[in-house]
Amino acid sequence: MSLLKLGIPKGSLEKATIELFAKSGWQIKLMSRNYFPEIDDDELSCSICRPQEMSRYVESGMLDAGITGKDWTLENDSDVEVVANLVYSKVSKKPTRWVIAVPGNSDITSVEQLDGKRISTELVNVTRRFFDQQGLNVDISFSWGATEAKAVSGLADAIVEVTETESTIRAHGLRVIHELMESNVQLIANKSALADPWKRDKIDSMVMLLQGALNADRIVGLKMNVAADKLDTVISLLPSLNAPTIAQLYKQEWFSVETVISEHQVRDLVPQLKKSGAEGIIEYTLNKVI
């Protein structure tokens, strides 16, 4: 039997990834102190590994596909194919950003002023390529963590660090002087695996269901009954991905109306629908929108 080897990211993306797969139709069960979780699909095997290393394992063929950040694929300069960009609802709707930051009391206000300075970061290779492109000579050292503290304590003149809101950077008394790059979650695949028709089809099916689950985030279905003489008024109130579905009730001058809307619209819309004659209004969650 054919088998697709899939990498699940350890750390901040782990829980969100497992929840996304559950919504897409796969139950992944973590085993205590085990890096090989169970999955209810005989055609899949899972491995837990750090996002920083994922693209290396995928490129080497140890994994056929895996979920990681764009930043780490670039950092490793891995020869893999990006199959899908995934906007994680449980993490952030915004891409993460890698920024250059300096102490708040530093005289440095531009990238050019970092020539000859010390930079601390976990994203060493991307940072080095950036400064090489700028024609600047900087001393880059790898940071094992607590990168903000390197600048605060004077061990570095600047840091390159990942952020979403900059709140942690500001809390350490640092200020951003440049945005290096944006990153997002990606499903990457080994090129040889994609050349295999069975594996390609399995990956494509997975992508369709994962994207469908992400598309359904914060979207709900509404269903209601409406008398014929009030139908036009109710329909005029309804936003929809396309157009609402309308079906006449059996031997009645009533219609069943169904639509899909954004979750935040419900609280204002339902009272309006009720006042306009809609009855039996039902709101239901969606697992996937494909």
Side-chain angles (χ1 to χ4, degrees), residues 29-37:
K29 184 179 179 181
L30 295 175
M31 310 297 289
S32 178
R33 299 185 181 181
N34 190 322
Y35 286 89
F36 304 97

Side-chain angles (χ1 to χ4, degrees), residues 49-68:
C49 55
R50 288 170 59 84
Q52 293 91 330
E53 302 172 308
M54 186 75 72
S55 64
R56 293 173 179 164
Y57 296 140
V58 172
E59 181 180 24
S60 69
M62 294 177 65
L63 295 172
D64 295 310
I67 291 174
T68 186

Side-chain angles (χ1 to χ4, degrees), residues 166-238:
E166 298 184 19
S167 58
T168 302
I169 289 175
R170 290 195 296 268
H172 284 83
L174 306 178
R175 55 183 167 82
V176 173
I177 64 169
H178 186 77
E179 181 177 307
L180 197 66
M181 64 171 289
E182 285 190 350
S183 182
N184 59 282
V185 181
Q186 296 179 328
L187 176 64
I188 59 174
N190 176 275
K191 291 186 176 180
S192 295
L194 292 175
D196 180 305
W198 183 88
K199 289 184 177 180
R200 178 85 208 202
D201 184 64
K202 184 71 174 180
I203 291 171
D204 287 345
S205 296
M206 183 187 303
V207 168
M208 178 182 68
L209 294 172
L210 291 173
Q211 293 286 25
L214 288 170
N215 291 340
D217 181 54
R218 303 188 187 282
I219 294 177
V220 298
L222 277 185
K223 191 171 184 178
M224 67 208 77
N225 293 331
V226 184
D229 62 337
K230 298 176 180 177
L231 184 61
D232 288 341
T233 301
V234 168
I235 295 301
S236 69
L237 296 173
L238 294 178

Side-chain angles (χ1 to χ4, degrees), residues 83-102:
V83 181
N85 291 299
L86 304 173
V87 181
Y88 271 36
S89 59
K90 299 299 183 182
V91 180
S92 175
K93 285 294 186 182
K94 298 179 180 179
T96 55
R97 299 180 297 131
W98 283 89
V99 298
I100 303 174
V102 298

